[in-house]
Amino acid sequence: MTPIEKWPVFRRHDQAAACLQIWSDLGRAPRTIEAYARGLGEYLLLCERSGVDPVTANRADVAVYVRELTSRPHHRGANVISMDSGVGLANATIQQRLVPVRLFYDHLIEEGLRSSNPVGRGRYTPGRRRGGQAKGLVPRLTKLPWIPDEDQWLRILHVAQSEPVRNRLMLALAYDAALRREELCLLRTDDVDPSRRTLRIRAETTKNRLERVVPYSATAGVCCPSTSGTEPP
């Protein structure tokens, strides 16, 4: 299913559909296009409910979208365990949803349909404290990553023991090489070098489009029958 088939609202907004097609033609990753379509599609639907033309929307109209994101209940409801209040999307998710909206208005400016972007960006202002960086539309929060303690790690490993070899191997490789989900799921057999115990992470599967080679441990090698017993030179 294409993004436009999933989000029919694009059929009612030619400029948004054209913008989505440009992103796709420029070679953005399919998951990126899917995320952009979701963020922009939700914004277009909100504009329709509010009776606002997204092409001429102002900063106040975008602020309504931000308010909706910050107050939206999580789709998993009470099953979500979070350090936050449990109301609204996470800050990182809100930032992600605003990116396609910002890029949409950049597109309109380039097409000569607008003179300004209502989403805006953080701007460098000489003379300001803290490096002169002004806040964007939504402050960006940076939290420390969650690191499981020893007991939590043991519980994870205990559950993994009953998983198939494939799942145990994926867990081991993700841990050894710090792989993102897409990098892990798109690994091919020719990306694995058992003689050196390394993985080739292809550029097209990475977020920054930079290829790299990472090692994996002997323990991960044992998980895979094709590499078990193979030692590096």
Side-chain angles (χ1 to χ4, degrees), residues 27-103:
R28 300 289 176 90
R31 289 185 182 276
T32 300
I33 296 297
E34 182 179 347
Y36 281 6
R38 179 173 185 173
L40 184 54
E42 288 182 346
Y43 174 69
L44 295 175
L45 288 173
L46 180 65
C47 287
E48 289 185 347
R49 292 195 300 269
S50 303
V52 174
D53 182 359
V55 175
T56 60
N58 56 33
R59 194 175 180 87
D61 298 321
V62 177
V64 173
Y65 179 52
V66 173
R67 183 183 62 188
E68 194 272 337
L69 294 176
T70 56
S71 59
R72 178 187 303 177
H74 199 285
H75 69 282
R76 294 180 181 174
N79 294 328
V80 176
I81 300 176
S82 174
M83 295 176 62
D84 298 321
S85 64
V87 178
L89 300 178
N91 180 264
T93 304
I94 295 175
Q95 300 286 350
Q96 183 188 65
R97 298 290 170 83
L98 285 176
V99 167
V101 180
R102 180 185 299 115
L103 295 178

Side-chain angles (χ1 to χ4, degrees), residues 15-221:
Q15 288 298 329
C19 191
L20 190 64
Q21 185 62 48
I22 290 174
W23 295 334
S24 179
D25 292 341
L26 289 175
R28 300 289 176 90
R31 289 185 182 276
T32 300
I33 296 297
E34 182 179 347
Y36 281 6
R38 179 173 185 173
L40 184 54
E42 288 182 346
Y43 174 69
L44 295 175
L45 288 173
L46 180 65
C47 287
E48 289 185 347
R49 292 195 300 269
S50 303
V52 174
D53 182 359
V55 175
T56 60
N58 56 33
R59 194 175 180 87
D61 298 321
V62 177
V64 173
Y65 179 52
V66 173
R67 183 183 62 188
E68 194 272 337
L69 294 176
T70 56
S71 59
R72 178 187 303 177
H74 199 285
H75 69 282
R76 294 180 181 174
N79 294 328
V80 176
I81 300 176
S82 174
M83 295 176 62
D84 298 321
S85 64
V87 178
L89 300 178
N91 180 264
T93 304
I94 295 175
Q95 300 286 350
Q96 183 188 65
R97 298 290 170 83
L98 285 176
V99 167
V101 180
R102 180 185 299 115
L103 295 178
F104 168 62
Y105 285 113
D106 283 345
H107 165 75
L108 296 180
I109 292 173
E110 292 175 357
E111 294 296 316
L113 300 176
R114 287 186 66 100
S115 59
S116 62
N117 191 323
V119 180
R121 293 173 172 82
R123 295 179 175 83
Y124 178 81
T125 305
R128 289 178 61 94
R129 294 184 298 175
R130 298 182 181 179
Q133 184 67 33
K135 292 182 180 180
L137 188 64
V138 177
R140 186 177 297 274
L141 306 180
T142 303
K143 298 182 178 180
L144 292 174
W146 172 72
I147 301 177
D149 57 30
E150 183 176 359
D151 180 63
Q152 291 169 328
W153 267 122
L154 290 176
R155 289 167 60 188
I156 293 173
L157 295 177
H158 177 73
V159 173
Q161 285 179 348
S162 59
E163 290 293 315
V165 173
R166 171 183 176 273
N167 293 349
R168 298 203 306 271
L169 175 61
M170 293 179 71
L171 174 62
L173 293 180
Y175 177 82
D176 286 345
L179 301 181
R180 295 174 57 249
R181 179 180 61 181
E182 190 168 3
E183 296 171 346
L184 178 65
C185 293
L186 294 181
L187 279 176
R188 302 186 311 214
T189 54
D190 59 340
D191 293 330
V192 183
D193 185 351
S195 65
R196 293 181 173 82
R197 279 210 305 263
T198 58
L199 301 173
R200 179 174 66 96
I201 312 302
R202 287 170 285 116
E204 60 269 24
T205 69
T206 65
K207 188 174 183 179
N208 57 8
R209 293 296 185 262
L210 295 176
E211 184 172 302
R212 67 185 190 276
V213 175
V214 293
Y216 62 88
S217 66
T219 302

Side-chain angles (χ1 to χ4, degrees), residues 5-19:
E5 290 174 341
K6 188 174 182 180
W7 296 92
V9 66
F10 283 98
R11 297 195 179 104
R12 301 190 292 272
H13 298 274
D14 295 339
Q15 288 298 329
C19 191

